[in-house]
Structures are given as C-alpha cells and as structure tokens.
Amino acid sequence: MGGSIMASTINADTTNGVVVTSDTSGDLELQSGGTTKAKITSSGLQNASGSAITSQAGANLIINGNMMIDQRDSTATINGTGVTYNVDRWLGRGETSEGVFTLAQDTTSPADFTNSLKATVTTIDDASPMWSTSSYRIQQMVEGYNIEELNWGTSDAQSVTLSFWVRSSVTGTFGGSVANGDYNRFNPFSYTISSANTWEYKTVTIAGDTSGTWVTNNALGLRLNFSLGAGADRLGTAGTWTSSVLEGVTGQVNPIQTINSTFYITGVQLEVGTTATPFEHLHYGQQLALCQRYYYKWNTTSSNNWVAWAMAANTTNMYGHVPFPTTMRNNPSSIEYSGLGWWLGGAVTAFSAVAIAESGTDSCTMNFTSTGLTAQKMYAVLPNGSTNYIAFNSEL
Amino acid sequence: MTYKTITTESVDGLTQEHIIIDNDDGSFTSFPVNKTNQTYIAWVEENNKPKEAEESE
C-alpha cells in the first residue's frame, strides 16, 4: 500500500504540534512556530529568504577572513607608496596621502577567534577637509575564479552578504565598498560602530551588479575595501552601483585623522545570498594552502634545513629547483629572500643575488649568484643568517 | 633602498635581466625586467629604471 500527504507547509507548532497545510504552489515550506526556516521549490533547497542552501564548504569568498595565517609575520607601514601586504591576502593602501598607518596581526579578538588584523594610525592626515582623492583602506583582492557563482555583470547577478567582527577606538558610521578588478564598478556600504574599543558584529547585504566586467579567471575579480579615511571624491551613497571610484560612504568617520586610533577586524565572510551564516572556520592547513596559492614563504631557523640542491653552470652562477606546496595563481612575479648561501663542506658563502631563472606555477628554477664555484658541481643551498627565507609572490 | 641589475642565463641560453632591491633590513626583493611582470610595472611606475647589469653570464 502506498500513499501520500499533500503538504505545502509543515509547521512544528508550539501549541498544536505538527500542523500540515496544503496548497497547489508546488513548494514545500518547513516552519517552526509559524516561521519559515527552509523551502523546497522547483529550484531546490532554499533558506527562508529564498537563497539556495548549498554545501557550507567554500561558501566564503574571502580567504583568511579570520586573520590566522601570517606568513610575512611583520608589521606593514602604509604610507601612500602603493600596495603593502601584511596578514595573508590582506593589504593596505594609501593614495594621495599624508597619513600613515600600520597593519599587523593581533591576538585581540572576539569569542570563536584567536586573531585579528589591527590598523594603527601613526601619522594623521590633518587636511581639513581631507584632500578630495585621498584614500586609506584595508583591502582583499579576490581571484576571478572564486566569484564565478556571483554571475555579476549579467542579469543573473546574485546578492552577496558581508559579515565581520570589528572594533575601533573611533565610533560612528564607517564605510567600505565592493569593486571589480578593473576598478570601474563600485558599490559602497556602511556600518556603525557604537561603542569604542568593543567588538561588534556587522552584516551588510549587497545587491549583485548586472553591469560591468567581472572577470572569472585567475586575474583580479573583486575587491573588498574597508575605508580608514577618504576624501569627498572617493565617498558616495551606500547600496548604489556606480562607475565612479568610491571606497566609502559620504559622512563616514575617518580614523586616519585621529592619532593612535585603532581599527581591528576579523571573521570577514562574503557569501552568496541575503543571509549571513556563521563564519566558516577552515582547518589551519586548508587555509594555509589557500593562502600559498598567492604567497609562499619557505623559512627556517635550522642551518640543516636546506632550500635546494643547485648545480653550478660556471664560476659565478648555479641553478636549483624549488617546488611549491600548492599550485600558485600565476607564475610568481617576484621573490623576497634573506640569509641564503651555498655550502660544499666548510663555511657557508652568502649569495650576492638570487633570481628566478624559470618561473612556473608549481615550481621555479632559481639562479643563485656567488663566486668561486666549479662548473658541474652540486651545492647545497641553505640558511646563512639569523633570518632565513625565500618567498614567492603571486598576489593579485 | 638601493638596487642593482643582474643578468641570468637559462639552460637553453636565453638571458634575462633582474632587479635586485636591498630592502635595508637584511632582505632583498628580486624580479625580472619584463614589461608584462606586475612587480616590474609597479616599480617602473614609481619612477625607477634598470641600471646597466653588474654581472652577466
């Protein structure tokens, strides 16, 4: 015997128990106490707002939103001379700027987190009003591959919801924006910090952009800006897409104009839909691998931990192969190194230069320059100082 | 910060110039002289230009 119950709403009622009602909508709603919690429609499983419920894994478009990975392990000074990365995937920018702020990983954090990204203003921008094109911001640049599901730039553009924890010594209305890689599509957002030096949780929903170019390859797809101060030309109305360069909202506070002001942020999540879900805590190793797609730093304090074997081509140059732990976004555009040398018994000799001879996404062949080498001999490349590392940069 | 230009030669004999920047903290930054390299492009935009290579193969 088989049978069926025509049900469009199943409500776990607090008075009557399970109540089933029916209609011909073709949808099934699951309710608790008369409030819809989930739906099954012709489009699949949805939440109460109508957004698709999918696997949680990979829901966050932001990498290292909890500021846990910090391969550079340093304090960055942002003084208007371009892009400076700090905690993995996060950078600071200053433009047309007199003010200076620092960025560093910090252990001040809300419950469920152990780290935050801390900005501290060390030199104020005292222009009044601030120069119209001045801008100070914390930013993450998202790879195009990771935003394909947004369908931005098409009529199927999906809304996204940004959620984060923030704390500042300055209170008031703060601003930020979402922008495309070409930096000609912008949507500012605002949020309010009510209490000084207190962690507050914020959510912002941003409508998808049906216009503009949003790349979906390994180039720069989307930028997320948190403004620490901006001039009038960089500020606009929250919630409106425009082609004007906007990095904050009109009337926002500018922490860059308060000496020693602080701004902490963590738990940053950007996800498809109109509802903020709990922060996606990845395993440390998973998150490190995601970060190493953009920046990989090999470092050690042990002189017995070698970087590579290298073969001398002549008396001044040797070549060695350095593999990466994960495929990088693109061939590394630069390296940074410290304290490396070669050894063939006896003392370690420092290199006078290290450069990429052949660049790839899975490994690089390195050129090490020194003197006194013998062609066709193999040498160990190893640490030669108190700070020893080589880092490969494939950031956006 | 000071910098120098060096030349490397690949296994197949192709030469490539590189900029080596002394970051004044014991570390160095290195990148090829290549007009499609974003690090080189950003460096040139800051009004820098390669010097004559100090070392060559």
Side-chain angles (χ1 to χ4, degrees):
Chain A
M1 295 282 291
S4 63
I5 299 173
M6 180 181 283
S8 292
T9 303
I10 300 175
N11 176 29
D13 191 86
T14 54
T15 303
N16 303 307
V18 175
V19 177
V20 179
T21 57
S22 66
D23 60 33
T24 57
S25 65
D27 297 343
L28 176 61
E29 293 189 21
L30 301 177
Q31 298 183 344
S32 174
T35 302
T36 299
K37 298 300 182 182
K39 304 175 188 175
I40 300 174
T41 75
S42 58
S43 300
L45 191 59
Q46 298 179 342
N47 64 18
S49 302
S51 298
I53 297 175
T54 58
S55 169
Q56 177 71 8
N60 193 357
L61 304 181
I62 299 299
I63 295 174
N64 200 28
N66 60 354
M67 316 298 175
M68 180 180 282
I69 308 297
D70 185 18
Q71 293 186 84
R72 294 171 181 83
D73 190 23
S74 63
T75 297
T77 299
I78 316 301
N79 56 12
T81 55
V83 173
T84 305
Y85 276 88
N86 183 249
V87 168
D88 276 61
R89 303 299 299 122
W90 292 95
L91 61 94
R93 281 180 187 261
E95 292 179 40
T96 322
S97 50
E98 297 175 355
V100 179
F101 67 97
T102 60
L103 283 180
Q105 187 189 51
D106 201 88
T107 55
T108 303
S109 62
D112 299 337
F113 297 92
T114 56
N115 295 107
S116 62
L117 177 61
K118 179 185 181 184
T120 305
V121 174
T122 56
T123 302
I124 64 168
D125 184 332
D126 59 1
S128 182
M130 194 179 293
W131 184 249
S132 60
T133 56
S134 292
S135 180
Y136 306 83
R137 59 193 184 274
I138 297 169
Q139 186 180 75
Q140 179 159 144
M141 298 199 277
V142 180
E143 184 176 353
Y145 280 135
N146 297 338
I147 66 164
E148 65 169 359
E149 64 185 315
L150 302 186
N151 295 315
W152 285 11
T154 78
S155 58
D156 295 323
Q158 298 227 53
S159 296
V160 293
T161 296
L162 173 68
S163 56
F164 54 97
W165 285 89
V166 66
R167 165 185 167 139
S168 178
S169 60
V170 176
T171 60
T173 300
F174 283 68
S177 71
V178 170
N180 66 349
D182 291 340
Y183 228 45
N184 53 24
R185 296 295 297 168
F186 299 83
N187 193 330
F189 61 82
S190 68
Y191 58 97
T192 301
I193 295 182
S194 304
S195 302
N197 303 313
T198 305
W199 283 106
E200 298 180 19
Y201 180 67
K202 307 298 175 186
T203 67
V204 179
T205 294
I206 299 164
D209 187 11
T210 56
S211 300
T213 299
W214 296 83
V215 301
T216 53
N217 55 26
N218 70 338
L220 175 51
L222 178 150
R223 309 181 201 226
L224 174 63
N225 295 313
F226 291 94
S227 178
L228 298 179
D233 288 359
R234 300 294 182 95
L235 303 176
T237 304
T240 302
W241 284 106
T242 176
S243 59
S244 300
V245 177
L246 298 180
E247 288 145 356
V249 292
T250 303
Q252 71 173 31
V253 295
N254 294 315
I256 195 69
Q257 296 194 299
T258 302
I259 191 67
N260 297 325
S261 63
T262 55
F263 178 91
Y264 300 82
I265 190 166
T266 193
V268 184
Q269 181 153 288
L270 184 66
E271 59 192 308
V272 174
T274 56
T275 304
T277 63
F279 182 80
E280 179 184 21
H281 288 273
L282 299 180
H283 291 181
Y284 182 90
Q286 291 176 302
Q287 189 149 262
L288 176 61
L290 292 175
C291 294
Q292 287 175 329
R293 177 171 171 79
Y294 307 90
Y295 182 85
Y296 165 52
K297 185 176 185 179
W298 177 98
N299 59 12
T300 185
T301 55
S302 170
S303 59
N304 294 316
N305 194 356
W306 300 356
V307 183
W309 282 102
M311 176 175 281
N314 48 55
T315 59
T316 57
N317 290 277
M318 65 172 77
Y319 294 87
H321 177 249
V322 178
F324 305 145
T326 190
T327 300
M328 299 197 79
R329 180 189 65 85
N330 206 346
N331 293 350
S333 62
S334 65
I335 61 167
E336 187 176 311
Y337 62 94
S338 178
L340 300 181
W342 61 265
W343 179 79
L344 192 65
V348 177
T349 302
F351 293 119
S352 58
V354 179
I356 296 174
E358 291 285 341
S359 187
T361 55
D362 292 308
S363 66
C364 277
T365 300
M366 306 302 300
N367 173 277
F368 303 98
T369 304
S370 186
T371 56
L373 307 177
T374 302
Q376 313 304 321
K377 273 196 172 182
M378 295 292 289
Y379 295 82
V381 177
L382 42 66
N384 183 44
S386 56
T387 302
N388 309 287
Y389 66 85
I390 182 167
F392 298 83
N393 173 27
S394 188
E395 296 281 9
L396 288 157
Chain B
M1 292 188 290
T2 58
Y3 67 93
K4 62 183 178 182
T5 306
I6 68 164
T7 302
T8 62
E9 182 177 342
S10 66
V11 175
D12 52 6
L14 297 176
T15 59
Q16 172 68 57
E17 288 191 330
H18 300 263
I19 304 299
I20 311 290
I21 299 173
D22 186 340
N23 297 320
D24 295 333
D25 61 358
S27 72
F28 299 84
T29 299
S30 167
F31 50 87
V33 176
N34 184 328
K35 292 178 180 176
T36 64
N37 181 290
Q38 67 182 42
T39 304
Y40 177 71
I41 293 169
W43 183 74
V44 171
E45 287 176 348
E46 293 172 5
N47 296 318
N48 296 303
K49 61 181 181 179
K51 298 175 181 176
E52 186 174 342
E54 290 183 0
E55 303 165 47
S56 61
E57 226 341 76

